[in-house]
Amino acid sequence: MTSILDKSAPPLVALTDISKSYGNVRALRDVSLEVHAGEITCVLGDNGAGKSTLIKIIAGLHPHDSGRYAVAGEQVRHASPRDALDRGIATVYQDLAVVPLMPVWRNFFLGSEPTRGRGPLRRLDVGEMRRTTHAALLRMGIDLRDVDQPIGTLSGGERQCVAIARAVHFGARVLVLDEPTAALGVKQSGMVLKYVAAARDAGLGVVLITHNPHHAYLVGDRFVLLKRGTMSGSHLKRDITLDELTREMAGGSELDELTHELSRTPAADGPAAGDPPAAGAEAATDPETRA
């Protein structure tokens, strides 16, 4: 039996030359990536780079037009998000799709509630859901004060962590995270990245979608850079530094041109910024002197 961390095993997910168009708009063209067990693949790009389309294809929301999509070495074509979920691919979107006024345990089991009893006596097993939610969160290192509190009272980082723990509990093999730190401060972003790393250490393959190269470099093993629907780079962490990753994401030569345009250049026939005024200049501008 192969270990979930066996590097000789085929990738959990492999996309090869994936393309997608919406009418005349080419959203993705020849994009490839691999997701391995126990690794984090980061997909970086600015708005409009094609990250959202890529998520929808991986999650089974939209079919790809061309290219190859393989799960554990087997070529697939998902008809719906349920197909992807049945193959162990769980997607946590930025808006999280939680019910704010429901307790944490109810959101944890939303759509998968265990019951007990039969027929007219059948009812939700609330005690089991409370215990399981608390235990599943603890396994991920999340110690909530009370799983009965409405999930809307949690911070954005805590809600992201609950969503990650839920995916792990329900048997996800691949976890796709859509900009999990986009709306968070520094401290909460660090908390979320800690639990993303915990999911990786539990043997999951993680796809982290982000526009922040600093967050990506903290946890990532592989980096795929998108620009206007095409790949502008694909690197292993050992082959690229944070500065190089940031520069490549920012556009390289385009960034140099912008830096040159924005830099201050002293006027050819005047003093440079910060130079002391020429002799007599104060006198020329003083009203009493002019008088």
Side-chain angles (χ1 to χ4, degrees), residues 277-291:
E282 289 187 14
T285 55
D286 189 308
E288 294 183 9
T289 308
R290 287 201 305 272

Side-chain angles (χ1 to χ4, degrees), residues 2-286:
T2 22
S3 162
I4 56 174
L5 298 179
D6 182 4
K7 299 303 179 184
S8 65
L12 294 178
V13 165
L15 304 184
T16 308
D17 296 334
I18 291 291
S19 296
K20 177 67 179 177
S21 296
Y22 298 98
N24 294 326
V25 178
R26 179 65 70 90
L28 288 179
R29 184 174 63 194
D30 299 333
V31 173
S32 301
L33 64 79
E34 290 185 355
V35 184
H36 291 261
E39 287 188 359
I40 297 175
T41 297
C42 298
V43 179
L44 299 103
D46 288 326
N47 292 337
K51 303 190 303 294
S52 296
T53 302
L54 187 63
I55 288 177
K56 291 170 183 173
I57 290 173
I58 296 174
L61 191 61
H62 290 176
H64 54 286
D65 293 337
S66 62
R68 186 175 189 271
Y69 183 167
V71 176
E74 176 189 353
Q75 188 165 350
V76 299
R77 192 171 188 85
H78 295 142
S80 68
R82 172 54 62 183
D83 279 357
L85 200 54
D86 290 343
R87 290 188 172 100
I89 300 171
T91 303
V92 178
Y93 293 99
Q94 194 174 338
D95 58 11
L96 293 179
V98 296
V99 183
L101 295 180
M102 282 187 177
V104 173
W105 61 263
R106 188 66 191 271
N107 275 277
F108 192 89
F109 278 93
L110 200 60
S112 304
E113 295 88 346
T115 58
R116 60 179 179 175
R118 292 183 178 182
L121 297 179
R122 188 178 179 188
R123 60 194 184 279
L124 294 178
D125 194 342
V126 174
E128 176 64 19
M129 285 191 277
R130 284 195 179 108
R131 288 189 296 271
T132 302
T133 299
H134 190 259
L137 294 176
L138 275 180
R139 278 196 299 273
M140 291 289 292
I142 306 167
D143 189 8
L144 285 185
R145 298 175 295 276
D146 182 9
V147 294
D148 279 306
Q149 67 188 104
I151 199 168
T153 63
L154 302 183
S155 68
E158 287 173 326
R159 290 197 295 272
Q160 285 281 354
C161 296
V162 170
I164 293 170
R166 182 185 192 276
V168 173
H169 174 74
F170 283 101
R173 299 171 62 204
V174 175
L175 182 61
V176 184
L177 300 169
D178 175 22
E179 299 273 10
T181 61
L184 304 180
V186 175
K187 185 175 180 180
Q188 291 199 16
S189 293
M191 177 202 308
V192 171
L193 293 176
K194 173 184 172 184
Y195 296 121
V196 171
R200 172 201 64 199
D201 295 342
L204 277 71
V206 180
V207 181
L208 176 64
I209 311 292
T210 182
H211 63 268
N212 190 318
H214 295 271
H215 291 171
Y217 202 79
L218 279 172
V219 295
D221 299 289
R222 299 168 184 267
F223 307 101
V224 173
L225 291 96
L226 296 182
K227 182 179 180 182
R228 297 175 187 171
T230 62
M231 290 177 64
S232 60
S234 179
H235 307 280
L236 296 174
K237 187 170 187 174
R238 65 173 178 262
D239 298 331
I240 193 168
T241 66
L242 173 58
D243 287 343
E244 290 168 342
L245 183 67
T246 305
R247 177 182 172 79
E248 190 169 328
M249 183 181 169
S253 59
E254 293 177 14
L255 182 63
D256 289 339
E257 290 175 12
L258 180 62
T259 303
H260 179 70
E261 289 174 12
L262 296 179
S263 61
R264 287 188 174 186
T265 52
D269 54 353
D275 284 354
E282 289 187 14
T285 55
D286 189 308

